[in-house]
Amino acid sequence: MTLPYHTPLTTDQQKSLGIDFPAPYAMADKVRFSELDVLNHVNNAVYFEWFERVRVLYTQHFGLARNFGSGSGPRIVIRSGTIHYKQEMLLHEDYVVTCGCTAYRTTSFTMHQEVWAGGTQRASFECVLVLLQPDGSGRYPIPEDVRKQFASVDGARFEG
């Protein structure tokens, strides 16, 4: 299979790459030289960039983030997060970053993300995201249609 970069992957594509539990949203890319550190493996900070890139696309895909920079729609900020590094990544490796919502409340939700390469999970990231008013003045409720998608597409549970 030719791995399509920068394109959402289907469940079947994810399974064919050895991803145990395909995610609602996943995207592939390749490790670049500029992402390496002095030990010639991917710098730890780069994983956060990979996770953020896919997380932003996920929120856009599901209609939560709108018109970046326009002031419409909520601000989405990370309240907390935990990353687990499991195996190093090297130059030119193909990888897939997955993303899905595992739980949600009225104005926040929990995301689970993973990096996969060569059929093995290399890192995972769990974070809580909070929605704020566009001007940052207070909380922004998750729209009902997005809550329904969290439950039906991602299998997320309501924690309210």
Side-chain angles (χ1 to χ4, degrees):
M1 172 179 108
T2 302
L3 187 60
Y5 297 147
H6 310 287
T7 303
L9 301 175
T10 67
T11 297
D12 288 339
Q13 288 172 315
Q14 291 178 62
K15 286 180 181 178
S16 73
L17 294 167
I19 297 174
D20 296 334
F21 301 101
Y25 199 83
M27 199 165 289
D29 206 344
K30 182 179 281 253
V31 175
R32 294 167 178 76
F33 176 78
S34 62
E35 296 170 324
L36 303 179
D37 61 17
V38 297
L39 300 174
N40 284 324
H41 63 226
V42 172
N43 185 293
N44 288 354
V46 171
Y47 291 86
F48 286 104
E49 293 175 20
W50 293 349
F51 288 133
E52 180 177 40
R53 185 177 312 125
V54 173
R55 192 171 53 252
V56 167
L57 291 169
Y58 169 94
T59 60
Q60 291 171 339
H61 177 77
F62 284 94
L64 191 54
R66 296 177 187 88
N67 302 322
F68 180 74
S70 73
S72 65
R75 284 189 187 183
I76 304 172
V77 297
I78 294 179
R79 189 178 112 209
S80 62
T82 304
I83 192 167
H84 294 278
Y85 301 100
K86 299 182 178 196
Q87 185 179 340
E88 69 181 0
M89 297 281 302
L90 303 172
L91 184 62
H92 301 303
E93 279 192 280
D94 290 326
Y95 65 89
V96 173
V97 178
T98 66
C99 186
C101 176
T102 58
Y104 60 97
R105 300 182 78 153
T106 305
T107 61
S108 65
F109 59 103
T110 303
M111 301 283 314
H112 181 76
Q113 296 186 262
E114 297 175 344
V115 173
W116 286 80
T120 60
Q121 186 190 100
R122 305 297 182 88
S124 65
F125 183 56
E126 189 93 12
C127 64
V128 175
L129 298 149
V130 177
L131 277 60
L132 300 175
Q133 294 295 331
D135 64 1
S137 64
R139 297 287 182 104
Y140 185 103
I142 298 171
E144 186 59 33
D145 62 323
V146 175
R147 289 172 174 236
K148 287 180 182 176
Q149 289 181 46
F150 284 165
S152 65
V153 177
D154 294 32
R157 67 190 182 288
F158 180 66
E159 294 183 330

